[in-house]
Amino acid sequence: MSAQGNGVEGAQWRGGGSDGLPREVRRQTSRRAGPDAGKVVGWLHRQTGAEVALVCNHAESVASHIEGFPRETLRPLAPLLARMSSGQLAAAATRAEGLHVRCEALGADEPHPVLVVAGRSEPRPEAVSLTSHVGLGAAFLASLLMCQPSR
């Protein structure tokens, strides 16, 4: 997807910086409303220009995604996403529906949510690193949510 969000056809994995991620995590941990996966997914999209989704419940539902995320990409990835969700794999790179796809399993508890990042071109090393950083940030936010006292 282009930086303007005009469609997956122009997707390029841009290099960005991980500077904004710690800021976003700090902002979310200071809020009373709890973590917002959409903000983290959106941040990764802005940094890489790639399509991003967070898949949950043994890869059966999409918890958060960038508008225009090519959901048809998830169907051929279903066996891989199920393995990741069950803890058999922590990260994977593959191709599906003509896209380069990187997946990161998040958190310590099963079923693991899986971060799915897709783009037309092969990701640059900086984009791969950012995807891993987002996975760590999202896992941290999820663990904080589980530690929130009930109200």
Side-chain angles (χ1 to χ4, degrees), residues 75-128:
R75 183 171 291 121
L77 294 174
L80 172 66
L81 295 173
R83 289 180 61 206
M84 295 183 79
S85 181
S86 68
Q88 294 176 30
L89 292 170
T94 190
R95 288 187 53 100
E97 302 293 317
L99 299 173
H100 292 268
V101 181
R102 296 208 52 93
C103 303
E104 296 267 341
L106 308 177
D109 297 323
E110 293 178 22
H112 299 277
V114 180
L115 184 65
V116 180
V117 183
R120 288 267 175 223
S121 61
E122 191 162 343
R124 294 186 3 200
E126 300 86 7
V128 173

Side-chain angles (χ1 to χ4, degrees), residues 1 5 8 40 49 56 125:
M1 178 175 272
V8 73
V40 176
C56 297

Side-chain angles (χ1 to χ4, degrees), residues 5-134:
N6 295 331
V8 73
E9 292 78 18
Q12 296 297 314
W13 297 78
R14 297 188 306 270
S18 59
D19 302 355
L21 183 60
R23 224 179 345 233
E24 181 62 29
V25 169
R26 274 193 303 276
R27 187 187 69 72
Q28 289 197 30
T29 57
S30 66
R31 293 183 349 183
R32 285 205 163 311
D36 182 346
K39 298 282 186 188
V40 176
V41 165
W43 179 87
L44 181 59
H45 166 70
R46 287 189 302 280
Q47 296 301 310
T48 64
E51 303 292 339
V52 184
L54 182 62
V55 181
C56 297
N57 301 324
H58 293 288
E60 293 178 7
S61 65
V62 177
S64 183
H65 63 90
I66 294 303
E67 184 177 332
F69 180 84
R71 291 177 87 115
E72 67 277 4
T73 304
L74 297 176
R75 183 171 291 121
L77 294 174
L80 172 66
L81 295 173
R83 289 180 61 206
M84 295 183 79
S85 181
S86 68
Q88 294 176 30
L89 292 170
T94 190
R95 288 187 53 100
E97 302 293 317
L99 299 173
H100 292 268
V101 181
R102 296 208 52 93
C103 303
E104 296 267 341
L106 308 177
D109 297 323
E110 293 178 22
H112 299 277
V114 180
L115 184 65
V116 180
V117 183
R120 288 267 175 223
S121 61
E122 191 162 343
R124 294 186 3 200
E126 300 86 7
V128 173
S129 178
L130 283 174
T131 300
S132 293
H133 279 90
V134 165

